[in-house]
Amino acid sequence: DESAIDAQREQEGSHKGLIRVSWRDSRKFDHTAWIDDQRGFVIPYRETRKDGELTATFVATYKHYEEHDIWYVQNGRYERYFPTPMDLYSSWDVYVLDAEFNDPDFSEEVFSIDYPEGTPISDTRSHIKYTAQGGAASEETPDKTNDVLNSSVP
């Protein structure tokens, strides 16, 4: 089921203490991400499988920007496997050499967008569609949201 999300805290192994979140996408790929809620909910490891076979991994290390308590990717490696998990098909590395962060005390008006009347707006994160009306957006068709996103993790 593509809409089901499973979230459990790992009790043992190399990801002990992290939150394991698993889901299946519309192409029948199974995704698992391990989330570190002690470091700003970063994802140090993620893997993708198709029919039980490993197809991709992402491993990242994070750096803490203490002034604003932000964790960001310092470096990471993405690997794709094909046709079997043992055959590395492609990989690429990411290195953040420098980072600059906005002051969190900026005005909310920075994010205020004046859409023309009747503009369709789609929030892909919450799966809700809106229509711009008189400078504001009115909810059009709420879609299902998964309660697991708003629940505590065991």
Side-chain angles (χ1 to χ4, degrees):
D1 179 12
E2 296 149 25
S3 64
I5 298 175
D6 176 49
Q8 298 290 322
R9 187 169 303 276
E10 293 285 0
Q11 300 300 318
E12 55 188 40
S14 61
H15 301 298
K16 182 178 181 179
L18 301 182
I19 301 168
R20 183 189 73 241
V21 179
S22 302
W23 68 97
R24 174 171 279 182
D25 68 21
S26 61
R27 298 176 303 147
K28 306 292 187 226
F29 281 88
D30 295 311
H31 303 274
T32 303
W34 283 265
I35 300 172
D36 188 343
D37 59 336
Q38 300 300 305
R39 294 188 300 154
F41 293 89
V42 300
I43 300 175
Y45 185 73
R46 179 179 167 173
E47 66 181 32
T48 303
R49 295 178 180 271
K50 176 75 170 180
D51 299 325
E53 297 288 326
L54 187 65
T55 61
T57 60
F58 178 73
V59 179
T61 58
Y62 292 82
K63 188 171 184 177
H64 189 219
Y65 180 62
E66 292 183 29
E67 185 177 344
H68 297 300
D69 195 26
I70 297 170
W71 289 88
Y72 64 96
V73 174
Q74 184 173 21
N75 60 61
R77 180 173 183 83
Y78 184 80
E79 296 182 345
R80 289 183 52 202
Y81 303 95
F82 182 80
T84 71
M86 300 311 291
D87 296 326
L88 180 62
Y89 175 73
S90 65
S91 67
W92 54 95
D93 296 307
V94 175
Y95 300 96
V96 176
L97 303 177
D98 190 24
E100 186 175 318
F101 298 94
N102 292 331
D103 182 348
D105 296 325
F106 56 84
S107 171
E108 287 284 330
E109 292 174 7
V110 170
F111 294 103
S112 178
I113 302 171
D114 247 348
Y115 292 102
E117 184 82 23
T119 301
I121 304 165
S122 181
D123 181 343
T124 58
R125 185 173 184 199
S126 63
H127 305 289
I128 298 174
K129 294 181 181 180
Y130 301 89
T131 301
Q133 296 177 353
S138 66
E139 191 170 324
E140 189 176 279
T141 54
D143 199 357
K144 61 183 174 180
T145 56
N146 201 319
D147 290 340
V148 73
L149 297 176
N150 297 317
S151 63
S152 61
V153 176

